[in-house]
Amino acid sequence: MRAALWLIALFAVAVASALLAGGNNSTVTVFWSPYRVDLSMNLVLLLLVVLFAVLHFALRALSALFELPHQARRWRLQQKERAMHAMLLDGLTQLMSGRYVRSAKSATQVLRLEALLAETRTADDVAPRHVQQLRVLSHLIAAESAQALRDRDARETHLQAVLDEAQGSTSEAVLEVVEAAQLSAARWSLSDRDAPAALRWLDGLRQGTARRTLALRMRLKASRIEHKFEEALDTARLLSKHGAFTGAAAHSLLRELAVASLNNAHDSAQLQRAWDGLERQERELPEVVLHAAERMLQLSGDASLVMPWLTPLWNRMVQQPDSCTPDLRLRVTQMLARALVSQPTDAEWLASIERARQTYPRWVELAYLAGMVCWHHALWGKAQQMLEQAAPQLSLPEMQRQAWRTLALLAEHKEETVRAQMCWKRAAEVTLV
């Protein structure tokens, strides 16, 4: 469409020129004493056009001639800028390929060229728009290379130079490089096992950057080194929501950190607060429930505090038997036995255990649990029957030892001295194992 319009305009100009020149009989007379020159109007117009074109091209030629030194200067500056870019790419390549000495040398060369350009540049020369970003990135490459070479002085010098560049800068590109330097500094601190310094660097990041997966991973590692398990648990939850771990890895990590946070409690009140701080899915993990119950019994000995934690685990074990492994069933029954014999007798629990034992007669751990609860309820005959059935078959030494000890106490209660001695001996043998 544009070409057609240009063609129509060209035809219009040609027609107008033909009409003007074809019917123009005017003349132009030039008096130059003692001469007189008569020229046609068309010739005068043509001469004026030619004169204008000649003057125009002459002026452009003179301008280009006078501009040659400036163009040569700009060409030299452009070559130096291209050399800077080439050296920067070379430094990145050498850094990624593990040639740290060459990488540091290339980064230093970039900084030297940039300083030379700044010295030779005049007010008429336009500085590259991204020269500050190049300078900051060169310092960061040099710092990374120095870290790999264990040159801490050079690393700190280049890192400080990066931070100085950030003062007063509003360029988003420069700020991104500075944040990359802060992340690198946190990683270097972690490699030096200086977790407080790593956390300080991470705390200095902007909110959006601090929530990136890389920053969260480093915060998790630093928090675990510093034994700040509550903070580490919050960070692990964020990473799990971001999909930073596989399902199994996230489950294992959250379980480990939840247990560690419970270990930080030094009294029952702290333990209760730590338990309340866990999320619902964490409070449903059997290992976490059992560890919390054990810690509570160690700290306060109040079994009434742990029964609300153990009851859902017991219900799930008897209602969904496939959800618990044999080892887990042993630990659940052991913890329930410890809790139930430490609180007043409860007939409902005794009935529930008896129903479960009849439903799963092959579960030896249920016979042990029933025996211990019956002993607590002073049902001596039933307790002796259940414990004698369970004691030889229990695979957990502590439970087996407790079963023989209880049988010895029952024998002493019945004044069966020989039997009591035999049970104490069996308990001692288990202890030696």
Side-chain angles (χ1 to χ4, degrees), residues 29 161 202 248 300 322 341 371 376 379 385 418:
T29 302
L202 294 172
S300 68
D322 294 336
V341 300
H376 184 57
L379 302 174
Q385 178 187 354
V418 177

Side-chain angles (χ1 to χ4, degrees), residues 157-187:
T157 300
H158 288 289
L159 179 60
Q160 188 59 44
V162 173
L163 299 178
D164 292 341
E165 289 288 342
Q167 300 297 328
S169 177
T170 58
S171 173
E172 184 64 24
V174 174
L175 294 178
E176 285 286 347
V177 180
V178 172
E179 287 180 344
Q182 290 175 302
L183 289 171
S184 297
R187 176 165 47 82

Side-chain angles (χ1 to χ4, degrees), residues 74-261:
R74 283 196 297 270
W75 182 84
R76 288 193 298 269
L77 292 176
Q78 188 181 45
Q79 292 300 111
K80 289 184 174 62
E81 291 174 11
R82 289 179 177 177
M84 284 175 55
H85 285 86
M87 295 302 296
L88 183 65
L89 291 175
D90 182 69
L92 283 172
T93 303
Q94 301 295 348
L95 178 65
M96 296 177 67
S97 60
R99 296 180 172 179
Y100 303 113
V101 175
R102 296 186 182 184
S103 177
K105 188 179 297 184
S106 297
T108 305
Q109 184 70 8
V110 173
L111 295 172
R112 190 186 65 80
L113 287 174
E114 192 278 330
L116 181 61
L117 278 174
E119 292 176 359
T120 57
R121 189 181 298 116
T122 62
D124 297 333
D125 298 325
V126 180
R129 184 177 53 184
H130 50 280
V131 64
Q132 189 178 14
Q133 184 182 4
L134 282 173
R135 185 166 58 248
V136 175
L137 190 56
S138 300
H139 279 298
L140 181 56
I141 293 173
E144 285 282 4
S145 301
Q147 165 66 17
L149 296 171
R150 308 303 299 171
D151 188 353
R152 302 185 66 175
D153 293 336
R155 183 193 74 185
E156 294 301 324
T157 300
H158 288 289
L159 179 60
Q160 188 59 44
V162 173
L163 299 178
D164 292 341
E165 289 288 342
Q167 300 297 328
S169 177
T170 58
S171 173
E172 184 64 24
V174 174
L175 294 178
E176 285 286 347
V177 180
V178 172
E179 287 180 344
Q182 290 175 302
L183 289 171
S184 297
R187 176 165 47 82
W188 301 336
S189 299
L190 286 176
S191 67
D192 295 337
R193 306 299 294 178
D194 189 357
L199 290 173
R200 286 195 298 271
W201 284 114
L202 294 172
D203 291 337
L205 295 172
R206 292 184 293 182
Q207 183 177 3
T209 308
R211 295 178 67 87
R212 294 175 186 169
T213 302
L214 176 62
L216 290 176
R217 284 182 181 275
M218 288 191 290
R219 182 175 292 278
L220 174 62
K221 185 175 180 180
S223 300
R224 294 178 72 180
I225 294 175
E226 281 292 282
H227 300 287
K228 297 180 178 179
F229 295 112
E230 291 80 6
E231 181 179 347
L233 185 57
D234 292 336
T235 306
R237 290 167 184 160
L238 282 176
L239 285 170
S240 180
K241 291 177 182 178
H242 291 172
F245 308 116
T246 61
H251 181 275
S252 176
L253 179 61
L254 290 174
R255 181 182 67 239
E256 176 188 347
L257 292 175
V259 169
S261 66

